Amino acid sequence: MLQQLPPPAISCKGVWQVYGANPEQGLKQALSDAGGSADEAARLLRQRGLVPAVQDVTFDVLEGEVFVIMGLSGSGKSTLIRTISRLVQGTAGSILISGEDILTASKQRLIELRRNKLGMVFQHFGLFPHMTVCENVGFPLKMQGADKTSRRKRALEVLELVGLSGREDAYPRELSGGQRQRVGIARALAVNPDLWFLDEPYSALDPLIRRQLQDEFLRIQAGLQKTSVFITHDITEALKLADRIAIMRDGKIVQIGTPDEIIVNPVDDYVREFSRDVPKGRYSHVSSMMSLPDRLPNMPDDPKIGAEMTVDDALASCMALYQPVPVWGADGKMAGIVHPSQLASALQSERPA
Amino acid sequence: MKRPTPAVWAALTAVLVGAACITLSPYFHWVTSWPAGATLPVTSWIGTGLTAAFELLKPLARTISTLLSYPMMFANTVLVNSPYSLTIGILTALGWYLGGIRLTLLVVSGLGFVLFSGYWIASMNTLALVFVSVPFALLVGFAVGLLANEFKSINRVVETTLDVMQTVPTFAYLTPLLLLFGFGPVVGLIASIIYAAPPMARNVMLGLQRVEPEIKEAAIMNGATRVQQLFLIEVPSAVRQIMVGVNQTIMAALSMVIIAAVIGGFNDIGWEVLLTMRKAAFGQSLVAGLVIVIFAILADRMSGALAQSEVRYSWRIALAVVLVSVALATVERSLLPGPDSYSAFKGLAAAADSYLNAFTAANGLVLDAVKNGAMFFVLLPLKIGLGQAVLPFTWGFMWTKWMSAAVYAVFGVVAVVMALRGSAVLGLSLLIVSGVMIVGIANLPWPFMLVSLGALGWVAGGPKLAAFAVTMIMAILLMGLWEPALLSLYLCTAAVSVCVVLGGLIGLVSSVSPATWSVVRPVCDFFQTIPLFVFLIPVLMFFQIGEFSAFLAICAYAIVPMVRYTYHGLTSTPEELLEAAVASGASDWQVMREVRIPYSLPTILLGLNQTVLYAFSMLVIAALIGTTDLGQQIYLALGQGDVGLGVAAGAAMAILALVADRLVQAFAMKQRQALGL
């Protein structure tokens, strides 16, 4: 299935982040000793007392895409997002943001980029305790040099977007956790950035508030269509929000794929373990299981299954059938066929293969 | 059998070296006293070196001195010549604005006392120094803290310098400053700036360091330049901690200004205390001391309100207060008496004096008995050992070699038994203690001290700390200050032991009885705000000049951190741990012994550390009332302008404090790590 891809918003190639004494030198040495093998180099680095927090990471994030990086704590996902936003200086590799290498950008250029193109939301909110909500949200505009009235005007706009109108003159300490993170989100959106980094933005919140904010994220994202890099350790959050997911383990990316691919075709036990307790029918779609054979079998029933339906929904309408059924695309044409038993067995991918 | 731990080896080594020293000392004199020939003339080197350096620096120093004298004279003229009703009015308005009615009442009654005591002018002279030194100290401290935060390469250097400055005794600053800047209030001013800047620097560093990393990152991601990050985000986020620094700096400046009064030549309140103390007019010196206490409390509460509370009270009322005081001030000259003519407490002071005389005359026997009892049966044995202190005249019998042998034998057996039962370290430590009790701290052989401190350092923090302790102590030996250093050590050990036992007990009781704590807490607060100097007055009143008075003053000052840290350690055990213990069926006492005390041990050790440092800093002040230790050397040097002796003795004192500090800190650290904190 070939289609014209938009140019990547972020392009990471062979990114390494090594901690310890003299990491650049150490990495170079380890890579040459390992004959170019990243895994071997990482092993050597560890042996020599260095910490390879991010190892040879390569991926692209497309324009307008929600790209979720998922992994357990210590897997290097937070380090990776900090390397991409250059809060920490990467050890090796290249990171292009709209074609511009951010690892070699000058200090001045970085400040410009951050003032105009990048936004970031933090796990523990990172709100400035001595500023009101409005001043917090207006801070990036202040850095751009906007005057006070226009800052306030824009801040109120964004606060309305995140549903926090009326609390603009409160201080962060007077807000609940969910409200604080809304301020954090509003602040990241204030300058209308092209690119949005979210570092476990909902991990510190209650499950209920978390779900509410996830829905809001989807709503905002549907309206603004920003390129987002979203970090989480919660698989259901990743499946719910992501266009594509990258799964990290011990500093490496082990799989990149759509939620369906992650659930239906996990590359290894580690990834499978993640999706084990996930209600798969709710996150995988018919499109990931259908096929389009040259010769169509006999299909007596047509329960009107759509390619974009979740497996749960599709099964609900064809559970009782024993014959393959047609799958209809959004354009009204037949997109493929699927056997109901295929859908049912996808729900139990825990069987030994 | 289990393999001996490093602690066992260390204790064993110390015992063996101690035993060797005791056996050899009758034959080799050098074991107990460092040979004079091996002493380097460090004191005179420092003296000559510094004097030469000072000759070069003098023009610069004199310029600084002149420059500083302008703001000082200005502040002095303003404060001394302003009508007192205006000064009181403005400070009252400030008190109202910062702390409402409670602080207002405190300011009015406090300043009223000062005015009626007749010490108004002297107080204003002191206050002028504080007013000038505080802004400088804040500025210097802020700049140093900021730079240390900004440039990680100098961070360590700054930390170490601050550590050292905290341990160098206050008087030791004064001698070189005197030589450099000449007599006069400017020396007090500069000393106070030097002394008061470190707490500000420390708190600025701490505050900036503690700003949440995400807040810093948010500032970066919002496109702030480094300067913007620092001044728009990091400093304002750290403002609480920085204000704590402001509070500490003000208190330190006040304290040092008063201590600097010993150089004299300036009619300030510290000098009044010293003068009346020397004349043994204790009633009057108590009044002057109270004036100092009042200023300390006012400064503390006002800057504390500034730091801790964001509530501010109506500025209109404050303005009204100022206006009323202006009105009063205009008629003050014609209607009210001048500030000199008040002496409301003269009669009271005299009465207090005569009452005190009557009291000491009536209870002289009791007081003497207390003093002599403590001296002959506790302090003296600790100082020169049972071997010399037990005399027929005091104890009723003569200590003999056989008695020593018997004690050693008993403790030796105890040590062996305990070693067999698994607590070898404790047994060997007891053996060492018995040895120290018989020989006396002031007579401890230097090889034993070097080895045992080195061993202690090894156990606490490894070879580096051991090397540090040994080189530092060697330095004291080489400087030829070994004997006064041991005397300092003796007085300090005596006071700290009392503080540990008594303070630990008070902290323990407070932690289980809120009623006790509600009494203990304000007393601790009060003791911590009083400048060191004032502690001398009450002990002198009852026990005259001498080592026992010095000992009491040190105890009174140094016990506070022990109480506080013990209390905080014991009360900060996580609720979950306590619940787990109770759920396992532990009784109150078992919870205390099995959970609360072990958990709080690192905190209590830090309290011990503070107590040791407090004791050392009071030791120098106590030299004013008759000790024979390093403090006395520093004080003598000040009197004679002997910069070499002053600096060397100051350094020796700082070394003792630093070594003690590092050892205790290392043990606390080890304990924390063992608990996984």
Side-chain angles (χ1 to χ4, degrees), chain A residues 131-167:
Chain A
M131 296 185 187
T132 63
V133 166
C134 195
E135 286 165 342
N136 260 291
V137 176
F139 185 75
L141 301 160
K142 186 176 178 177
M143 294 299 98
Q144 283 187 342
D147 65 69
K148 214 169 174 177
T149 35
S150 69
R151 289 203 311 254
R152 186 166 176 93
K153 185 166 162 280
R154 173 67 184 153
L156 292 179
E157 261 172 48
V158 199
L159 282 170
E160 193 179 346
L161 181 71
V162 298
L164 215 55
S165 297
R167 299 309 308 268

Side-chain angles (χ1 to χ4, degrees), chain A residues 33-50:
Chain A
D33 290 353
S37 152
D39 284 354
E40 179 59 15
R43 201 186 60 79
L44 287 174
L45 283 169
R46 282 203 189 91
Q47 216 172 51
R48 294 168 190 174
L50 293 138

Side-chain angles (χ1 to χ4, degrees), chain B residues 435-556:
Chain B
V436 172
M437 280 310 294
I438 290 172
V439 175
I441 293 180
N443 298 329
L444 283 178
W446 58 267
F448 168 75
M449 284 299 281
L450 280 183
V451 169
S452 56
L453 282 176
L456 212 55
W458 192 291
V459 174
K464 252 175 113 175
L465 187 59
F468 173 80
V470 171
T471 12
M472 283 291 157
I473 301 297
M474 270 310 273
I476 299 183
L477 278 169
L478 290 176
M479 286 193 289
L481 289 168
W482 186 242
E483 269 142 43
L486 280 183
L487 287 174
S488 288
L489 191 66
Y490 133 72
L491 207 49
C492 207
T493 312
V496 167
S497 314
V498 168
C499 289
V500 167
V501 174
L502 214 56
L505 220 55
I506 296 175
L508 183 77
V509 172
S510 302
S511 74
V512 289
S513 146
T516 313
W517 181 236
S518 68
V519 178
V520 169
R521 194 186 157 169
V523 174
C524 280
D525 285 350
F526 179 68
F527 273 37
Q528 265 191 329
T529 22
I530 305 180
L532 301 162
F533 222 55
V534 180
F535 281 91
L536 302 181
I537 304 170
V539 294
L540 274 185
M541 284 165 63
F542 294 104
F543 297 105
Q544 289 85 40
I545 280 182
E547 218 162 67
F548 184 62
S549 295
F551 165 75
L552 281 186
I554 298 171
C555 287

Side-chain angles (χ1 to χ4, degrees), chain A residues 24-102:
Chain A
E24 277 94 1
Q25 205 53 46
L27 178 60
K28 238 175 232 159
Q29 188 63 46
L31 276 174
S32 85
D33 290 353
S37 152
D39 284 354
E40 179 59 15
R43 201 186 60 79
L44 287 174
L45 283 169
R46 282 203 189 91
Q47 216 172 51
R48 294 168 190 174
L50 293 138
V51 182
V54 171
Q55 304 157 21
D56 195 28
V57 161
T58 300
F59 64 86
D60 285 349
V61 179
L62 306 182
E63 203 72 57
E65 176 180 45
V66 178
F67 189 82
V68 173
I69 301 173
M70 204 201 68
L72 301 178
S73 54
S75 62
K77 54 192 194 308
S78 260
T79 310
L80 178 57
I81 203 173
R82 278 170 173 68
T83 310
I84 300 175
S85 56
R86 219 178 124 182
L87 282 169
V88 296
Q89 179 69 49
T91 313
S94 75
I95 298 171
L96 306 183
I97 291 187
S98 310
E100 180 177 352
D101 192 345
I102 195 152

Side-chain angles (χ1 to χ4, degrees), chain B residues 285-559:
Chain B
S285 84
L286 205 58
V287 174
L290 275 177
V291 169
I292 294 178
V293 171
I294 284 169
F295 275 109
I297 290 179
L298 290 184
D300 184 53
R301 296 299 129 84
M302 285 169 95
S303 58
L306 184 70
Q308 277 149 25
S309 152
E310 273 156 22
V311 184
R312 296 286 173 259
Y313 295 82
S314 157
W315 59 269
R316 289 197 181 83
I317 293 180
L319 189 67
V321 171
V322 172
L323 289 177
V324 168
S325 71
V326 169
L328 263 179
T330 50
V331 295
E332 184 180 302
R333 289 271 148 73
S334 45
L335 290 180
L336 298 172
D340 291 334
S341 48
Y342 292 98
S343 58
F345 307 112
K346 268 245 163 74
L348 211 59
D353 269 347
S354 60
Y355 176 76
L356 184 70
N357 282 336
F359 179 83
T360 43
N363 298 292
L365 284 177
V366 179
L367 290 176
D368 278 352
V370 169
K371 183 172 163 178
N372 291 337
M375 278 308 290
F376 289 135
F377 296 110
V378 183
L379 290 180
L380 213 53
L382 198 60
K383 185 179 183 179
I384 54 176
L386 289 167
Q388 289 176 30
V390 176
L391 297 169
F393 164 61
T394 46
W395 288 60
F397 60 94
M398 189 71 190
W399 191 267
T400 60
K401 273 183 187 161
W402 298 111
M403 293 183 187
S404 302
V407 171
Y408 286 136
V410 169
F411 276 93
V413 170
V414 169
V416 169
V417 170
M418 294 190 78
L420 291 177
R421 300 184 61 182
S423 39
V425 180
L426 198 63
L428 290 168
S429 307
L430 281 177
L431 192 55
I432 294 174
V433 168
S434 74
V436 172
M437 280 310 294
I438 290 172
V439 175
I441 293 180
N443 298 329
L444 283 178
W446 58 267
F448 168 75
M449 284 299 281
L450 280 183
V451 169
S452 56
L453 282 176
L456 212 55
W458 192 291
V459 174
K464 252 175 113 175
L465 187 59
F468 173 80
V470 171
T471 12
M472 283 291 157
I473 301 297
M474 270 310 273
I476 299 183
L477 278 169
L478 290 176
M479 286 193 289
L481 289 168
W482 186 242
E483 269 142 43
L486 280 183
L487 287 174
S488 288
L489 191 66
Y490 133 72
L491 207 49
C492 207
T493 312
V496 167
S497 314
V498 168
C499 289
V500 167
V501 174
L502 214 56
L505 220 55
I506 296 175
L508 183 77
V509 172
S510 302
S511 74
V512 289
S513 146
T516 313
W517 181 236
S518 68
V519 178
V520 169
R521 194 186 157 169
V523 174
C524 280
D525 285 350
F526 179 68
F527 273 37
Q528 265 191 329
T529 22
I530 305 180
L532 301 162
F533 222 55
V534 180
F535 281 91
L536 302 181
I537 304 170
V539 294
L540 274 185
M541 284 165 63
F542 294 104
F543 297 105
Q544 289 85 40
I545 280 182
E547 218 162 67
F548 184 62
S549 295
F551 165 75
L552 281 186
I554 298 171
C555 287
Y557 180 64
I559 197 172

